[in-house]
Amino acid sequence: MRVAAIYDIHANLPALEAVLEDIRRAEVDQVVVGGDVLPGPMPRETIACLLGLDVPVQFIHGNGDREVLAQMRGTETGWYRAAPEQWREPVRWSAEQLHPEDEQLVATWPDTLRVEIRGFGEVLFCHATPRNDTEIFTRLTPEERLLPVFAGLNVAAVVCGHTHMQFDRTIAGIRVLNAGSVGMPFGEPGAYWLLLGPNIELRRTRYDLAKAAERIRGTKYPQAEDFAARYVLQPPSEEKTLEAFARAELK
């Protein structure tokens, strides 16, 4: 049994399409979408693409999906009230693009998901950590700080995302994997994802970045130019991102 984990797509449809080509070649049995499908430049098209997969697909929500859903319901969360406008704008715009059936779909996505992978064991999929969808930790976070988060889960592995950087480490005797980001990576350009069963493969799919940037700039997304430049053509470096996240981890 082979399972593909795709996280943090952020409605970057060109990146998703490239990853799905690789997934088809890998002949996976199931796809897990690990949250933060939204917000981003092509929200309707991205959801439709995921729903059109010809293999079973399961979703969990991320903090981005949760905030977009709240906007669709006319609710201002504490995060939305406190966030700077450049963070709120993509959430608001993405919510405006979606239809009632999209709202109903996103509302069904659970916090976490457990999947038994034959030949590997039970895997817990979460967005940020097993206990919430916003906590930050990285490959450099000391294990002793993470023991209360992962101890006693009784699974073979935990797959997470949220920080948009892949890693593979062991915490409290559990293999903890970050699938990376399909649509908004930190580090080398590309679309990052994870293949599970019977082994673990951290994957990076290369795609036509210039063409993708052009497609994104052609949308009405309010931050299309910045998204194309910062998250497609020249993402922030892993080094600088790790430094920034070190100040925010587990808060």
Side-chain angles (χ1 to χ4, degrees):
M1 183 177 180
R2 309 186 90 194
V3 175
I6 55 177
Y7 276 63
D8 297 289
I9 300 165
H10 284 285
N12 179 346
L13 183 63
L16 174 62
E17 290 171 341
V19 165
L20 292 180
E21 287 184 15
D22 274 357
I23 285 175
R24 290 185 184 99
R25 283 191 286 268
E27 298 181 339
V28 305
D29 301 287
Q30 184 175 338
V31 173
V32 174
V33 181
D36 279 13
V37 173
L38 310 164
M42 302 179 189
R44 284 196 313 270
E45 300 90 336
T46 298
I47 289 175
C49 181
L50 291 168
L51 294 180
L53 290 177
D54 54 4
V55 295
V57 58
Q58 291 182 274
F59 296 82
I60 60 174
H61 77 251
N63 56 304
D65 309 309
R66 179 169 50 78
E67 291 295 333
V68 170
L69 179 62
Q71 279 293 297
M72 294 184 76
R73 292 173 164 177
T75 302
E76 282 198 2
T77 65
W79 175 88
Y80 188 86
R81 287 191 294 270
E85 175 58 17
Q86 69 262 30
W87 295 0
R88 301 196 302 181
E89 185 180 40
V91 169
R92 187 171 59 246
W93 182 86
S94 296
E96 291 168 353
Q97 309 312 303
L98 299 178
H99 299 141
E101 56 267 29
D102 300 315
E103 177 185 344
Q104 294 166 11
L105 173 69
V106 176
T108 67
W109 297 350
D111 296 347
T112 63
L113 178 70
R114 287 177 181 248
V115 176
E116 182 71 31
I117 301 177
R118 292 188 302 275
F120 186 84
E122 188 174 43
V123 178
L124 173 65
F125 295 87
C126 58
H127 181 66
T129 72
R131 63 188 186 186
N132 69 54
D133 61 12
T134 57
E135 283 185 313
I136 288 172
F137 75 103
T138 72
R139 62 180 176 81
L140 301 181
T141 305
E143 182 177 3
E144 59 267 22
R145 296 195 63 189
L146 294 167
L147 290 176
V149 181
F150 291 93
L153 291 176
N154 194 29
V155 292
V158 174
V159 178
C160 57
H162 187 54
T163 56
H164 299 203
M165 293 177 290
Q166 286 182 334
F167 60 69
D168 178 357
R169 58 180 296 186
T170 300
I171 301 167
I174 298 171
R175 196 86 171 261
V176 179
L177 306 150
N178 191 303
S181 173
V182 170
M184 292 178 65
F186 299 138
E188 290 297 315
Y192 294 76
W193 57 288
L194 173 65
L195 184 61
L196 289 161
N199 303 310
I200 292 170
E201 297 180 39
L202 294 171
R203 295 284 194 98
R204 175 164 73 103
T205 296
R206 293 172 172 83
Y207 63 105
D208 189 329
L209 302 177
K211 186 175 181 180
E214 183 180 355
R215 288 176 65 187
I216 289 167
R217 292 188 189 109
T219 69
K220 294 182 179 179
Y221 186 59
Q223 298 177 8
E225 180 63 42
D226 184 65
F227 192 103
R230 281 180 53 82
Y231 300 113
V232 176
L233 298 175
Q234 194 170 5
S237 73
E238 184 184 40
E239 181 183 8
K240 288 184 178 179
T241 306
L242 285 169
E243 183 180 332
F245 280 168
R247 299 190 291 269
E249 61 186 11
L250 296 182
K251 292 181 181 178

